[in-house]
Amino acid sequence: MFYRRQGKGPAVMLLHGFASSSLFWSGLMDALEPDFDLIAPDWPGFGAAGSRQPYRRLPDFASGLLALADELGLQRVHVVGHSMSGFVVQELLCHHPERLGRVVLYGAGLSVNRGRRFETVEQTLQRLQAEGVETAARKVVDSWFADAARSPAAHALCLQAAAGMSEQGAAAAIEATQNADYTGKLQGCATPALVLSGEAERSHPPASALELYRALGNAHLCILPLCGHAAHLEQPLWFESVLREFLAG
């Protein structure tokens, strides 16, 4: 699996979401590298791994991540999962908690709530098929910001991160996550967790973040103001402060 790595300290896996790649984390990695060993993979079908055969089931994502941890000699890691990768974190919480230190579910929910999302999963898939990957990715990225005009560099970075996504990778990711639902499966989780969201989140709005927080056995909840699905880019200082304090325990 392709990955970017920088910093020294406790190992933290940074997992990107749909229409994204490890580039999504570049600024955050620069900010946190004095304190943490940061590892940001590209899922197969995305980013620098865009030509690789994609995963089609959430257990495959979890297994792929654990295989990477094994390759790097990491028995136990902190994990930050954004958006789609929030489901990967929940899969790990349910089936591999012994491999986890602390986890952050960022812009995530228990399921894809079709009534709350900025558009239906079917609409995203139809756009992907009718208009192509680039147009579909731009539509998704445009929904991530409380005010994209206020953050042009961050918006451009997100489009750059999305550029490697293949049509096959995008379709497989939708297939893997569209029916995901971890309702009732997380109560026994003792792993320390942080549910982190922006108040203008449109993929998994704050109501979904609250449900996820309540479903976890050992969790904290943080809703950051003046930002959306790319909170670490719109409000980097707040995001970095909260994340650093939580991961440091």
Side-chain angles (χ1 to χ4, degrees):
M1 186 184 295
F2 175 87
Y3 62 92
R4 304 174 193 276
R5 188 177 192 180
Q6 65 189 78
K8 294 182 179 179
V12 182
M13 295 281 198
L14 300 171
L15 311 181
H16 69 81
F18 184 78
S20 194
S21 69
S22 56
L23 283 175
F24 183 68
W25 303 112
S26 54
L28 184 66
M29 294 177 77
D30 290 341
L32 297 183
E33 69 173 349
D35 304 307
F36 300 100
D37 175 11
L38 301 152
I39 302 141
D42 283 351
W43 294 124
F46 294 82
S51 62
R52 298 186 182 181
Q53 190 69 21
Y55 299 141
R56 297 188 177 277
R57 303 182 311 125
L58 285 168
D60 296 334
F61 282 85
S63 295
L65 185 69
L66 294 178
L68 176 59
D70 290 341
E71 177 186 330
L72 298 176
L74 301 172
Q75 179 58 32
R76 195 177 181 91
V77 295
H78 301 316
V79 180
V80 179
H82 180 245
S83 191
M84 171 187 83
S85 285
F87 294 128
V88 181
V89 174
Q90 291 174 76
E91 183 71 16
L92 291 166
L93 285 169
C94 288
H95 300 290
H96 306 281
E98 74 284 353
R99 301 297 303 271
L100 301 173
R102 290 174 169 254
V103 301
V104 179
L105 298 115
Y106 165 29
L110 288 166
S111 63
V112 177
N113 190 306
R114 297 167 189 268
R116 293 173 180 165
R117 193 171 184 266
F118 70 95
E119 67 178 9
T120 67
V121 172
E122 289 78 12
Q123 286 173 324
T124 301
L125 190 56
Q126 288 168 6
R127 181 176 292 103
L128 177 68
Q129 295 168 340
E131 302 175 10
V133 174
E134 184 177 349
T135 299
R138 178 175 288 274
K139 174 67 175 180
V140 171
V141 168
D142 285 348
S143 74
W144 287 359
F145 294 85
D147 184 358
R150 194 182 64 208
S151 308
H155 185 267
L157 174 65
C158 289
L159 290 177
Q160 183 183 3
M165 180 173 69
S166 68
E167 182 174 346
Q168 186 181 24
I174 291 173
E175 178 184 338
T177 59
Q178 64 178 333
N179 295 317
D181 189 349
Y182 288 86
T183 303
K185 299 178 181 179
L186 302 171
Q187 296 96 325
C189 292
T191 304
L194 172 65
V195 178
L196 184 53
S197 181
E199 67 175 355
E201 168 73 50
R202 297 177 65 199
S203 295
H204 295 281
S208 296
L210 181 59
E211 290 171 355
L212 179 55
Y213 159 71
R214 287 173 172 166
L216 288 159
N218 183 17
H220 302 275
L221 173 67
C222 180
I223 307 294
L224 294 175
L226 306 174
C227 57
H229 199 54
H232 75 288
L233 296 173
E234 286 192 281
Q235 297 297 340
L237 296 182
W238 285 341
F239 188 99
E240 291 158 17
S241 177
V242 170
L243 184 62
R244 182 182 282 108
E245 184 168 347
F246 173 73
L247 292 178

